Amino acid sequence: MYMYLSLALTLAAGIGFVYGLVRFFRDESALYVRMIVFGVGCAMFGRLFATLLYLVNGDLFPGFNVGMLGIIGSFLFFFSANYGQMDSIVDDGSPRFRKTRLIALIAPLIVAALCAVIFVLYGFNEATIPFGIEALFLALASYFHLKHLIIEDVSFGLIKSIRSYNLLALVYAALCLSEVLVNGFVPALIVTVLECAVLIAFIPVLERGMKKWTT
């Protein structure tokens, strides 16, 4: 049954990825949204690997597997999209935004606390160490998602227009973390359904926000 949950995630990410390719790769589009599309694509390939592993092996290999690179890659793209040019537009590094930067640290600190709990409960082993590596990239992306969710808006409503996307990205990060914690098929099913909804909604929500940049 877990193979079908993995397959559902693959299909959901695939729908989001193909939609993004159709909408944003036929003409010149902002690099920001293209990186988000690539992030969803990485999630698709990561879930596809897990699905195939379930199919041929009956279960995931304990510890690290190549599919985890897809999840890491997706959050690297999300991080890269918000880091750099986008962040410099909304935060000039002045003391004015110090409080916002401090509040945004809540997201990676929660991830770190969860990792600490996992390591205390299960120790450092082939299963928990890969989770810690994955959580590191998730924490980096989550910092900017939360920061851009709460920071003051700038000209043309740039930040306001992508707040819904950043909220979805935070929800997706929380759901990815919860995969490690849920126990039993029903909780896993609930998490999977929510993840599928977010993966499908990512690009349409971002597209709707970006239309406000030019209106």
Side-chain angles (χ1 to χ4, degrees):
M1 295 302 294
Y2 286 99
M3 182 189 75
Y4 292 110
L5 297 183
S6 183
L7 177 60
L9 289 168
T10 304
L11 293 175
I15 291 171
F17 181 52
V18 171
Y19 180 85
L21 291 178
V22 172
R23 297 296 295 169
F24 296 106
F25 285 81
R26 292 182 300 180
D27 49 27
E28 291 296 325
S29 299
L31 178 61
Y32 180 83
V33 69
R34 290 190 172 196
M35 296 185 79
I36 305 305
V37 173
F38 284 138
V40 176
C42 279
M44 178 193 70
F45 286 116
R47 302 298 183 174
L48 176 60
F49 180 87
T51 302
L52 294 176
L53 199 57
Y54 273 119
L55 182 63
V56 300
N57 190 55
D59 200 357
L60 296 177
F61 293 132
F64 177 81
N65 64 75
V66 175
M68 295 181 70
L69 292 178
I71 307 303
I72 290 173
S74 65
F75 283 103
L76 269 177
F77 272 114
F78 298 157
F79 165 77
S80 300
N82 276 335
Y83 178 77
Q85 183 178 10
M86 177 62 74
D87 192 62
S88 64
I89 292 174
V90 301
D91 182 2
D92 58 6
S94 66
R96 174 186 174 189
F97 297 108
R98 184 176 297 143
K99 182 178 179 180
T100 301
R101 297 186 206 109
L102 290 174
I103 295 175
L105 287 172
I106 292 174
L109 287 175
I110 290 175
V111 176
L114 177 60
C115 285
V117 171
I118 295 296
F119 288 136
V120 168
L121 291 177
Y122 303 105
F124 292 89
N125 52 57
E126 62 178 4
T128 58
I129 291 177
F131 166 73
I133 296 173
E134 183 179 297
L136 171 64
F137 294 96
L138 189 150
L140 289 173
S142 296
Y143 169 79
F144 287 99
H145 289 313
L146 181 55
K147 181 181 179 182
H148 293 177
L149 185 65
I150 63 175
I151 201 167
E152 293 179 20
D153 204 0
V154 294
S155 301
F156 307 109
L158 178 65
I159 288 300
K160 183 179 179 181
S161 67
I162 59 173
R163 277 180 179 152
S164 295
Y165 154 72
N166 281 302
L167 178 60
L168 275 181
L170 281 174
V171 171
Y172 181 63
L175 290 170
C176 286
L177 286 174
S178 67
E179 289 183 36
V180 182
L181 301 176
V182 295
N183 186 20
F185 179 74
V186 173
L189 175 62
I190 294 172
V191 170
T192 298
V193 169
L194 293 173
E195 282 184 290
C196 287
V198 171
L199 286 167
I200 293 173
F202 259 138
I203 307 304
V205 166
L206 184 59
E207 180 183 23
R208 185 171 65 249
M210 288 182 59
K211 287 180 180 178
K212 300 177 183 177
W213 296 1
T214 56
T215 58

